[in-house]
Amino acid sequence: MNNKVMFFNLGGILAFIIFSGCTLISMLFYPHSFSPLYNWLSNLGNYYLNPAGAVFFNMGCILTGIILIPFSLNLYRWKPGLTYERILLILAIIIGVFASLSLVGVGVFSQTNGYHVLVASCVFVSIFILITSLSIALFKHPKFMRIVMYWGLFAILSDGIFILVIEIIRFHTSLADLHPTVPVAGLEWSAVYVSLIWISALSYNMYKKQL
């Protein structure tokens, strides 16, 4: 494995570190009380709510999205054998790039921008499709670690519940509500970090198995 491939394989771990670090720094600058149950992640990137810390969160989204683009493209190295597995892998790569660009969009279009809800929704839906399609594509792959597969099921469930609550059970406008009165924001935090941990685990899997 050359250094370039190793860097791309470890991109998922790097993305997790950068996103988490920027989120933490942004939280430290947040001037009001902050609870993951009642505050969206994007509250941290709101220049009105978090004037001193918003730039850190938004930059974290942009950098994380940029890093995940080559990581997504590098998924081709799995090279599954069956036709349907290869089709699902190609779908996962395309969706992965789309999700990465959408995450960049979250950083560019902060919470007060009219496009924010759209790009944020694209992130969650595309990540759900990505994890589902890739988990099926790699299910029989001898180098696909079982722990990564099981965590992927948890991530699919976590993302699915959040999407269900936001898009179907009449909370679809909640992403535009700066201060929700029900703790749906906690579902967002769960979906984001469970998914990021899965991406990190997949990244380690690719490095460990020398794909």
Side-chain angles (χ1 to χ4, degrees):
M1 184 191 303
N2 60 47
N3 291 335
K4 182 179 179 180
V5 171
M6 182 176 68
F7 174 78
F8 287 160
N9 282 353
L10 293 175
I13 296 174
L14 180 61
F16 177 83
I17 293 172
I18 288 177
F19 184 85
S20 299
C22 289
T23 297
L24 178 59
I25 293 172
S26 184
M27 286 180 65
L28 293 176
F29 280 99
Y30 200 78
H32 315 290
S33 61
F34 191 93
S35 169
L37 290 178
Y38 290 96
N39 289 97
W40 303 109
L41 273 162
S42 294
N43 286 165
L44 296 173
N46 187 314
Y47 289 99
Y48 296 105
L49 295 177
N50 192 18
V55 64
F56 297 104
F57 177 79
N58 293 329
M59 187 56 65
C61 289
I62 293 171
L63 292 176
T64 301
I66 291 173
I67 290 170
L68 288 178
I69 292 173
F71 175 75
S72 298
L73 293 172
N74 204 45
L75 293 175
Y76 83 91
R77 299 183 66 84
W78 282 98
K79 299 176 182 177
L82 299 179
T83 300
Y84 83 90
E85 293 173 337
R86 291 197 294 269
I87 292 173
L88 287 173
L89 178 61
I90 293 172
L91 173 63
I93 292 172
I94 294 172
I95 294 296
V97 172
F98 177 75
S100 302
L101 292 173
S102 297
L103 184 56
V104 172
V106 170
V108 173
F109 303 110
S110 63
Q111 195 178 40
T112 53
N113 188 287
Y115 291 106
H116 180 80
V117 173
L118 174 62
V119 292
S121 297
C122 287
V123 171
F124 290 108
V125 174
S126 55
I127 287 294
F128 176 81
I129 298 173
L130 164 65
I131 299 176
T132 302
S133 58
L134 195 59
S135 295
I136 297 173
L138 302 181
F139 181 76
K140 298 179 181 179
H141 200 291
K143 291 188 176 182
F144 189 42
M145 294 179 176
R146 296 296 96 179
I147 185 64
V148 181
M149 181 193 72
Y150 294 137
W151 191 265
L153 296 176
F154 183 34
I156 292 169
L157 179 63
S158 182
D159 289 341
I161 290 174
F162 178 64
I163 292 170
L164 180 70
V165 169
I166 291 296
E167 301 294 342
I168 297 179
I169 311 180
R170 299 303 178 184
F171 283 111
H172 58 279
T173 59
S174 293
L175 285 172
D177 185 354
L178 300 185
H179 302 288
T181 56
V182 290
V184 290
L187 295 176
E188 180 201 31
W189 282 77
S190 173
V192 167
Y193 273 96
V194 169
S195 297
L196 281 174
I197 291 172
W198 178 82
I199 291 172
S200 299
L202 181 66
S203 182
Y204 173 77
N205 188 164
M206 295 176 70
Y207 169 76
K208 183 70 173 179
K209 298 297 183 178
Q210 298 185 346
L211 289 170

